[in-house]
């Protein structure tokens, strides 16, 4: 059975994993305590202002992947955007750790999410290490 060609960023397995994980985090963060609405919940949902104001940390992995996909003409620009994705995914893992330590997330659920982000990071690192299959042919 032949694999379908990747036509856009949404066809990427790493994008699909990141999107599903971001939606799961969004739903789970709605259950965090009210006193955390503007601290931990805010941090886990929103990216820092330098990168993507008013967007979610976990969702910014997807947004940066979409942007990287559109920059495939230029290897350096593509890899730079993938590096942003990697940083956002790693930062999301840190906030997952805080959510578990603060008892806002169950330990097993935290491990599951952390593991998903490890797989996302693995996919991103593979793309960063060998970007040539993803670049647009001139």
């Amino acid at each position: 059975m032949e694999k379908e060609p990747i036509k856009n960023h949404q066809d990427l397995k790493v994008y699909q994993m990141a999107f599903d994980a971001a939606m799961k985090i969004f739903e789970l963060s709605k259950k965090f305590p009210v006193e955390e609405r503007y601290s931990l919940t805010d941090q886990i949902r929103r990216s820092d202002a330098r990168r993507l104001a008013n967007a979610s940390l976990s969702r910014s992995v997807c947004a940066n992947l979409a942007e990287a996909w559109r920059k495939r003409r230029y290897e350096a620009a593509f890899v730079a955007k993938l590096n942003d994705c990697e940083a956002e995914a790693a930062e999301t893992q840190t906030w997952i750790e805080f959510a578990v330590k603060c008892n806002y997330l169950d330990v097993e659920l935290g491990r599951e999410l952390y593991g998903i982000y490890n797989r996302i990071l693995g996919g991103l690192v593979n793309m960063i290490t060998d970007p040539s299959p993803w670049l647009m042919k001139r």
Side-chain angles (χ1 to χ4, degrees):
M1 186 173 193
E2 203 172 304
K3 269 174 49 172
E4 287 289 317
I6 295 174
K7 296 176 184 156
N8 61 53
H9 64 278
Q10 293 154 320
D11 294 336
L12 295 167
K13 181 67 178 161
V14 69
Y15 177 88
Q16 293 165 6
M17 284 191 301
F19 189 90
D20 291 344
M23 292 309 299
K24 189 171 206 165
I25 286 173
F26 179 76
E27 289 304 318
L28 288 168
S29 68
K30 288 179 181 179
K31 297 175 185 160
F32 286 7
V34 174
E35 67 267 16
E36 289 295 347
R37 293 277 185 238
Y38 299 104
S39 56
L40 183 58
T41 300
D42 193 48
Q43 286 299 320
I44 203 167
R45 282 188 180 175
R46 289 190 334 152
S47 174
D48 81 44
R50 293 176 316 215
R51 289 198 187 109
L52 205 56
N54 300 322
S56 158
L57 254 177
S58 53
R59 288 180 283 178
S60 69
V61 174
C62 296
N64 281 312
L65 260 172
E67 193 173 339
W69 188 255
R70 300 309 304 169
K71 293 184 174 193
R72 292 176 355 265
R73 282 178 194 85
Y74 310 103
E75 183 175 344
F78 178 62
V79 169
K81 218 49 187 160
L82 290 174
N83 281 314
D84 290 345
C85 295
E86 183 184 7
E88 295 290 347
E91 189 174 347
T92 299
Q93 284 184 312
T94 301
W95 291 113
I96 290 168
E97 286 183 85
F98 278 115
V100 169
K101 288 290 185 188
C102 294
N103 295 313
Y104 302 145
L105 277 181
D106 173 74
V107 173
E108 286 306 311
L109 194 50
R111 282 188 185 134
E112 178 189 336
L113 286 168
Y114 200 92
I116 291 167
Y117 275 92
N118 272 341
R119 289 191 296 282
I120 291 165
L121 284 162
L124 292 168
V125 167
N126 286 337
M127 292 174 79
I128 291 165
T129 303
D130 183 18
S132 58
W134 310 105
L135 298 173
M136 294 177 88
K137 310 296 182 232
R138 291 184 182 209

